[in-house]
Amino acid sequence: MHKLLAVNPGQKMLLLGNEAIARGAIEAGVAVATTYPGTPSSEISLNFFQISQEGNLYFEYSTNEKVALEVAAAAANSGVRSMCVMKHVGMNVAADALMTLAYLGVKGGLVILTADDPFMFSSQNEQDNRYYSKLAGLPMLEPSSAQEAKDMVAFAFDLSEKLQQPVIFRTTTRINHSTEVVVLGDMQTPITKGDFTKDPFNYVTVPAVSRNLHIKLLEKLKTAETISETSEYNFITGDGAWGIVCNGVSYNYISDAVKDLNIADKVKIFRVGFSHPMPRVLIIDFLKGCEKVLVVEEGEPFMEETIKAFAQEVGLTLPINGKGNNLFSRLYEYNPALVRQCLAAYFDVTYKPVAGVNLSDVPEIPQRPPSLCAGCSHRATFYAVNKATEGMETICPTDIGCYTLGFMPPLSTGDFLICMGASVGTSCGFSKVTDKKVISFIGDSTFFHTGIPGLINAVFNNHNFTLVILDNGITAMTGHQPHPGVDMKALNMEGYAHVSIEKIVRAVGVPHVSIIRPYRVKKSIESIKEALNFKGVSVVISKEECTLFAKALKKPRGRSFFVSEKCKNHRDCINELACPAFVIEDNQVKIDPVLCSGCTVCAQICPEHAILPLKDDA
Amino acid sequence: MKQQIVISGVGGQGVLFVTRLLAEAAIMKGFSVFTSETHGMAQRGGTVLSHLKVGNFSSPLIRPANADGLLALKAGGLNQHGLYLKPHAWAAVNRREDVVQDSESPVFAVDADELAQRIHQPKSVNLILLGFTIGVVSTAVENRLFCSLEDLKAVLEKSLAGKKKMLGDAITALETGYNGLRTI
């Protein structure tokens, strides 16, 4: 049995924030869950996926976040408790559905989780999705810990049903990826079948209907505000005259800092957990008892600006600050040291950070960014592209996935990256206004996510570029989730069909399509050259299974290779492939047999044919 | 009991596994625990850093100059993450060369890669370094790690129940590190 299905209320379990959230949804009787995987949210849906194999939960990896939200919206409007999980930028994809779903509302509870990523540990931007609650007019909840996250999910479902509105559940990486002991609660039995009653004058959003629905939305928002005023998730501790307003993980940093700085008797803390709509009356009362107020929130001054507006409405003139000189930044993630320092500076408390160990004699070492795995098929494809484009001036738009890492030297196959699917759309623009050869890269999962409309656009508008679809048979970057191109039968998973990338590409009318196996180096280079010579849209599908996934499936792998004495130290292998299995010892290239996956690419490109398979796996 | 430990390594070395193991040991001993980790990069060879806070804390991250100990699964971890150590904290480092110990911060080194080869478990560097921390570091410093070899074995026996081979390998690796210097 999945550990999150343990029916044992009161039991204590060490849970990752994301596991706690999944457990919270199960306790709340969630019956439908949808997602497109994205860090830092991925473990929530991974647990749902596993649980759906044995429980009453319907779970799906949808093709993108917009589709995921639409699936969940329909289920919720049929009265079934549903949850839709995504990373922050996924919300941009789902936004079209979200904005008008807010007008329609829901019948059964719908919780939309957005996992924001301050500092961009694994994202292309650090947008603050709290603004979506304002933009859409939807209630929003923000937990400060794993335990609270679990409990808050159940509250979110109740709130959603009470208001008949979707609820936005906003986390940050530090909540998603911290573990703590969580006390399990009772489980509700999910109601898995719903019904939909026709009511077109409330459900079909033509202008005349939407004009009425917008009125209803504002009424619901008003009700949400009254609930926010009395919510246990908006609470005050302490009764000093120094006010601190904080949310999410910042609350924990503040709690530790106030203790350490010995100012507990001087401060009053307002922890905001129900953060849209903000509890206006409570906040104004709080401000009235303060000399000055510090707002501690990662990201944008979302609460700060609202609080300042509240103060202005009632003529309060006390200092209210958050972002600014010597205070907090809109940039990056906060940490305990920064919070202490700003807190001490703002309230003029003496604070001397302890000096650490003297490391002045320890040399600085270079950063170690992530890289493509040893034997990664993307490296082989990029090598072939570099050979095929030798002497050409190129522009290489790339996309979101493991293969983005190809932008680093020596592969250097990434010049422009915005968001999921943009490799194709931007290729259209670059090829129209420049004379350079445009060759772009997109992964299989990303192609299904948002790559297809761009490709149809390219064919229709007769653009001129080569798109390489890197098909490694799985959504690799986020931890090997399935997508429509995955052969689920081969994974012993029933109830799925298979969608062929090649058939899609041919069906939309791409005039030049080729398929390569990137571990066959020479053939791949030839095929790519042909595609590059074609005037118009050409697509190269590069098919090879993700080497990590193959390992996880315990598929037989090739022998590890070694560098024999024939090596003359040309180092093409290191300089052009940079596979992490290479090491240099005594000025000679060696191959780490544990890391080597036996892809044979380095053996094929070695000018001396010096790289040979090991006889037995030593 | 309050103890803050930083665990540093690169993707694929099992930083998260060691963190989880220590967190489970803390719970078993009745301490409250927070951990905070780098995910996502875990399989792509990038730097992975874990914070483990045992005892009465409210927040998951460790402040610079506040950690009681550092486990560096790669030698460079000491350079990169030594800033978290407070004066007189210890560091257990996987590296080839001996390290000159100074009084301010005892640094203990073990060639865990070599030991891992020797026991034919090249991927057990994480458990070897952990065993070393208990067997060698904890006997030499005052602020010893909050748990013992027996505690960790008990946690492993629970979490790897039914996986006899994995459990046996894990315990061999732990003990190899525990006896660290003496077997070299």
Side-chain angles (χ1 to χ4, degrees):
Chain A
M1 193 179 64
H2 195 282
K3 73 170 181 183
L4 296 182
L5 289 174
V7 188
N8 202 357
Q11 187 191 332
K12 288 180 175 180
M13 210 183 254
L14 183 66
L15 292 182
L16 187 66
N18 279 343
E19 292 174 325
I21 290 165
R23 168 71 190 197
I26 298 298
E27 287 182 3
V30 68
V32 170
T34 62
T35 195
Y36 183 83
T39 313
S41 79
S42 305
E43 297 86 358
I44 304 172
S45 43
L46 178 68
N47 280 287
F48 283 152
F49 183 45
Q50 291 163 347
I51 288 167
S52 70
Q53 315 293 319
E54 49 184 298
N56 288 323
L57 174 68
Y58 172 75
F59 169 78
E60 69 169 49
Y61 284 113
S62 310
T63 41
N64 64 34
E65 293 85 354
K66 178 174 181 287
V67 175
L69 182 54
E70 289 156 356
V71 173
N77 269 301
S78 306
V80 171
R81 283 196 162 188
S82 305
M83 187 160 181
C84 184
V85 176
M86 60 194 77
K87 72 180 289 171
H88 62 327
V89 284
M91 199 73 138
N92 303 330
V93 180
D96 203 4
L98 179 77
M99 298 309 294
T100 308
L101 178 63
Y103 279 41
L104 290 182
V106 292
K107 258 170 71 189
L110 174 59
V111 177
I112 303 167
L113 184 137
T114 164
D116 290 12
D117 191 16
F119 190 69
M120 301 164 274
F121 286 98
S122 43
S123 305
Q124 64 268 42
N125 75 26
E126 56 178 349
Q127 66 183 53
D128 187 335
N129 273 9
R130 292 180 296 170
Y131 285 100
Y132 271 115
S133 67
K134 232 175 196 177
L135 188 60
L138 289 176
M140 175 172 61
L141 300 170
E142 295 179 75
S144 290
S145 67
Q147 175 75 56
E148 189 179 43
K150 183 194 76 66
D151 299 339
M152 214 182 229
V153 173
F155 173 75
F157 275 107
D158 290 342
L159 179 67
S160 172
E161 281 168 10
K162 195 170 196 174
L163 291 169
Q164 304 272 284
Q165 279 295 67
V167 169
I168 295 178
F169 195 95
R170 188 245 188 186
T171 61
T172 57
T173 308
R174 200 51 66 188
I175 299 294
N176 299 103
H177 287 166
S178 291
T179 36
E180 64 177 69
V181 176
V182 173
V183 183
L184 304 185
D186 286 321
M187 301 254 242
Q188 292 181 44
T189 311
I191 297 162
T192 55
K193 266 284 163 247
D195 189 27
F196 178 75
T197 314
K198 285 175 191 277
D199 184 9
F201 291 98
N202 276 306
Y203 280 132
V204 180
T205 51
V206 295
V209 171
S210 290
R211 283 182 202 118
N212 288 327
L213 293 180
H214 197 184
I215 296 170
K216 282 189 190 166
L217 166 61
L218 296 183
E219 286 167 0
K220 288 175 180 175
L221 200 56
K222 199 75 214 150
T223 311
E225 191 178 322
T226 59
I227 300 172
S228 178
E229 295 284 3
T230 55
S231 170
E232 59 175 310
Y233 292 114
N234 292 330
F235 60 83
I236 297 168
T237 60
D239 54 7
W242 298 348
I244 300 168
V245 183
C246 52
N247 70 334
V249 72
S250 301
Y251 170 66
N252 305 321
Y253 301 149
I254 284 291
S255 302
D256 272 343
V258 162
K259 250 186 272 168
D260 290 357
L261 294 171
N262 271 322
I263 52 169
D265 56 331
K266 295 198 178 71
V267 301
K268 184 159 50 181
I269 302 171
F270 197 133
R271 204 300 302 265
V272 183
F274 192 142
S275 52
H276 189 259
M278 291 270 278
R280 185 177 174 277
V281 177
L282 274 187
I283 296 270
I284 289 172
D285 271 358
F286 179 82
L287 296 180
K288 282 179 180 164
C290 295
E291 285 166 15
K292 61 195 292 200
V293 168
L294 181 66
V295 185
V296 189
E297 53 183 332
E298 290 171 332
E300 302 297 321
F302 179 86
M303 296 196 296
E304 184 184 340
E305 286 176 350
T306 305
I307 293 167
K308 283 175 173 167
F310 289 157
Q312 196 276 341
E313 284 171 29
V314 292
L316 289 170
T317 56
L318 76 166
I320 301 168
N321 293 96
K323 315 283 174 189
N325 286 344
N326 297 321
L327 283 178
F328 292 103
S329 168
R330 295 182 184 202
L331 296 172
Y332 312 147
E333 189 188 33
Y334 294 176
N335 59 62
L338 173 82
V339 168
R340 258 174 195 69
Q341 185 197 317
C342 293
L343 185 62
Y346 190 67
F347 293 111
D348 205 10
V349 181
T350 323
Y351 165 56
K352 270 196 203 129
V354 265
V357 177
N358 181 8
L359 292 167
S360 52
D361 57 334
V362 183
E364 254 190 60
I365 55 162
Q367 291 287 309
R368 190 181 173 113
S371 60
L372 294 172
C373 302
C376 175
S377 59
H378 299 329
R379 178 179 292 102
T381 306
F382 290 144
Y383 174 83
V385 166
N386 283 338
K387 286 289 155 194
T389 55
E390 254 171 11
M392 283 185 201
E393 280 202 285
T394 60
I395 301 173
C396 300
T398 187
D399 224 302
I400 308 268
C402 294
Y403 50 93
T404 316
L405 299 172
F407 88 106
M408 297 280 280
L411 299 168
S412 307
T413 44
D415 297 320
F416 198 76
L417 171 66
I418 312 177
C419 62
M420 295 278 288
S423 58
V424 198
T426 57
S427 293
C428 298
F430 282 124
S431 65
K432 198 45 91 185
V433 302
T434 72
D435 291 327
K436 292 184 176 164
K437 185 68 210 176
V438 176
I439 178 161
S440 48
F441 303 98
I442 191 167
D444 42 358
S445 189
T446 307
F447 179 70
F448 285 110
H449 180 279
T450 31
I452 297 169
L455 189 59
I456 295 172
N457 178 70
V459 171
F460 173 65
N461 288 308
N462 200 20
H463 285 283
N464 176 29
F465 62 89
T466 301
L467 175 69
V468 181
I469 302 176
L470 299 151
D471 181 6
N472 63 357
I474 204 76
T475 314
M477 189 65 170
T478 44
H480 301 137
Q481 292 83 359
H483 63 65
V486 175
D487 181 0
M488 298 294 275
K489 276 205 189 101
L491 303 175
N492 294 320
M493 304 282 293
E494 293 296 322
Y496 296 92
H498 172 256
V499 182
S500 153
I501 292 178
E502 183 189 351
K503 282 184 184 165
I504 292 176
V505 171
R506 293 192 192 276
V508 305
V510 173
H512 191 286
V513 183
S514 47
I515 294 171
I516 61 168
R517 307 291 306 208
Y519 290 161
R520 295 177 196 163
V521 177
K522 267 194 188 147
K523 265 191 158 175
S524 297
I525 297 171
E526 279 164 31
S527 295
I528 294 166
K529 273 187 181 160
E530 244 176 62
L532 291 168
N533 285 333
F534 181 80
K535 194 147 175 51
V537 182
S538 57
V539 167
V540 178
I541 303 171
S542 180
K543 277 176 88 79
E544 189 57 61
E545 196 166 40
C546 165
T547 177
L548 264 190
F549 190 54
K551 204 189 269 176
L553 294 178
K554 301 203 160 54
K555 291 199 174 175
R557 40 163 267 184
R559 283 171 184 278
S560 293
F561 279 62
F562 75 105
V563 183
S564 69
E565 65 281 4
K566 284 198 274 179
C567 171
K568 290 195 179 150
N569 244 337
H570 295 286
R571 296 207 180 163
D572 288 5
C573 51
I574 286 200
N575 295 335
E576 297 185 33
L577 286 176
C579 176
F582 297 126
V583 284
I584 294 178
E585 270 174 23
D586 307 325
N587 202 30
Q588 280 292 317
V589 179
K590 291 196 172 154
I591 294 174
D592 182 338
V594 178
L595 284 179
C596 177
S597 71
C599 75
T600 76
V601 172
C602 59
Q604 292 175 57
I605 70 160
C606 175
E608 305 294 338
H609 305 292
I611 301 176
L612 303 169
L614 280 168
K615 289 252 160 55
D616 41 31
D617 275 335
Chain B
M1 223 294 300
K2 266 189 157 188
Q3 205 168 74
Q4 309 190 65
I5 311 287
V6 177
I7 302 152
S8 137
V10 302
Q13 279 194 305
V15 170
L16 302 192
F17 183 81
V18 164
T19 309
R20 192 87 183 193
L21 191 57
L22 286 169
E24 294 282 3
I27 291 168
M28 196 184 71
K29 296 179 78 74
F31 304 129
S32 71
V33 66
F34 268 109
T35 81
S36 204
E37 302 138 10
T38 326
H39 285 235
M41 299 301 146
Q43 290 182 314
R44 307 288 182 280
T47 302
V48 177
L49 178 68
S50 233
H51 299 235
L52 174 81
K53 293 170 88 168
V54 181
N56 190 18
F57 293 98
S58 307
S59 62
L61 289 181
I62 298 173
R63 274 185 294 151
N66 274 267
D68 299 283
L70 163 73
L71 271 75
L73 274 63
K74 281 263 181 208
L78 179 65
N79 312 43
Q80 223 177 343
H81 300 123
L83 63 112
Y84 284 101
L85 293 174
K86 64 183 180 195
H88 310 294
W90 51 263
V93 184
N94 169 28
R95 63 194 275 176
R96 240 163 238 188
E97 315 83 48
D98 284 343
V99 176
V100 184
Q101 292 178 16
D102 66 50
S103 54
E104 197 187 332
S105 184
V107 176
F108 298 85
V110 63
D111 191 348
D113 284 302
E114 214 279 316
L115 290 178
Q117 292 293 344
R118 217 184 283 181
I119 59 167
H120 305 294
Q121 290 189 53
K123 292 180 182 171
S124 65
V125 165
N126 56 347
L127 287 174
I128 291 175
L129 190 71
L130 182 57
F132 173 77
T133 305
I134 291 170
V136 180
V137 182
S138 280
T139 53
V141 297
E142 275 175 28
N143 52 346
R144 57 174 51 217
L145 196 66
F146 67 90
C147 59
S148 67
L149 186 67
E150 281 60 44
D151 296 334
L152 292 177
K153 281 186 184 171
V155 173
L156 282 171
E157 269 157 24
K158 211 170 132 197
S159 61
L160 296 178
K163 296 171 184 166
K164 222 175 155 191
K165 166 100 172 69
M166 278 172 79
L167 177 63
D169 286 353
I171 287 177
T172 307
L174 259 186
E175 286 177 342
T176 303
Y178 184 82
N179 298 317
L181 292 179
R182 273 156 272 176
T183 57
I184 287 180

